[in-house]
């Protein structure tokens, strides 16, 4: 009986402890690279539908709940807003680090395993005669065999994201930078 109790305590404690970073496997690296390339193509071309589809469904559900609207309606609204934001913006020189990344693993309360990694990306944006170099570190999450992407800009977004993914509450995610080029 004591051995089972000790084993149960060890399992519970291991779930409560932060995961240690680990290198991505070859298979994870390949699937992440493919997903990153698709995401960069979508953002570079302003494909609002694909950009919104890259957001983790759990995040969409949390944002929809906090806004008091259905997730499908939120998706439509986000697509419309993304189309407006990307109109007139020319993206070039987009790149991402896709190898040598360290991931962390977590298990959600419902038993769903999640692997996550920060993917350093950079691109040049031109709009209204102004050019900037943007270095963004989107968070890539693998859930249910699919990679999703999101940017966590600011404490409020991080708090909302941590409702869906509690491990993000204490995660160190670097802020993006925007540097004027002209």
């Amino acid at each position: 009986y004591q051995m089972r109790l000790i084993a149960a305590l060890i399992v519970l404690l291991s779930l409560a402890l932060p995961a240690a970073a680990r290198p991505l496997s070859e298979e994870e690296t390949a699937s992440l690279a493919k997903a990153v390339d698709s995401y960069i193509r979508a953002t570079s071309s302003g494909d609002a539908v694909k950009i919104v589809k890259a957001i983790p469904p759990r995040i969409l559900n949390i944002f929809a709940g906090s806004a008091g609207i259905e997730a499908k309606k939120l998706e439509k609204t986000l697509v419309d807003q993304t189309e407006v934001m990307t109109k007139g913006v020319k993206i070039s020189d987009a790149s991402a680090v896709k190898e040598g990344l360290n991931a962390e693993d977590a298990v959600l309360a419902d038993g769903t395993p999640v692997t996550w990694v920060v993917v350093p990306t950079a691109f040049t944006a031109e709009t209204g005669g102004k050019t900037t170099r943007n270095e963004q570190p989107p968070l890539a999450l693998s859930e249910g065999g699919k990679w999703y992407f999101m940017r966590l800009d600011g404490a409020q977004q991080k708090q909302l994201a941590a409702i869906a993914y509690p491990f993000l509450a204490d995660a160190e995610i670097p802020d993006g930078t925007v540097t004027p080029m002209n």
Side-chain angles (χ1 to χ4, degrees):
Y1 173 78
Q2 285 182 331
M3 291 305 283
R4 283 187 286 187
L5 181 60
I6 291 171
L9 284 172
I10 290 171
V11 169
L12 286 173
L13 287 174
S14 69
L15 292 175
L17 296 174
R22 63 165 179 82
L24 288 169
S25 69
E26 284 184 37
E27 182 180 317
E28 289 170 319
T29 298
S31 68
L32 176 60
K34 184 177 176 182
V36 166
D37 289 343
S38 178
Y39 183 67
I40 286 178
R41 278 191 308 275
T43 55
S44 294
S45 67
D47 187 332
V49 171
K50 286 184 180 176
I51 292 168
V52 172
K53 287 285 184 199
I55 301 170
R58 288 178 193 263
I59 295 297
L60 289 174
N61 289 334
I62 294 297
F63 287 155
S66 69
I69 61 174
E70 294 178 22
K72 286 292 181 194
K73 186 173 181 181
L74 174 65
E75 281 185 56
K76 170 80 171 98
T77 300
L78 289 174
V79 167
D80 293 346
Q81 289 176 348
T82 302
E83 286 173 346
V84 169
M85 285 180 7
T86 59
K87 190 174 187 173
V89 177
K90 181 182 175 196
I91 303 290
S92 61
D93 300 322
S95 63
V97 174
K98 297 178 274 188
E99 293 188 13
L101 298 172
N102 287 320
E104 294 195 38
D105 299 302
V107 177
L108 300 176
D110 66 2
T112 302
V114 177
T115 298
W116 61 280
V117 61
V118 174
V119 180
T121 63
F123 60 91
T124 300
E126 184 181 334
T127 183
K130 297 186 183 203
T131 304
T132 58
R133 185 67 181 161
N134 300 265
E135 294 183 15
Q136 304 294 328
L139 185 65
L141 291 140
S142 177
E143 182 176 355
K146 182 175 181 197
W147 286 100
Y148 297 96
F149 299 91
M150 64 181 170
R151 285 186 26 217
L152 297 177
D153 295 324
Q156 184 178 12
Q157 281 188 357
K158 190 172 179 181
Q159 287 172 343
L160 283 172
I163 294 169
Y165 299 101
F167 56 85
L168 293 177
D170 297 322
E172 294 291 327
I173 301 169
D175 291 329
T177 60
V178 178
T179 306
M181 295 181 67
N182 59 357

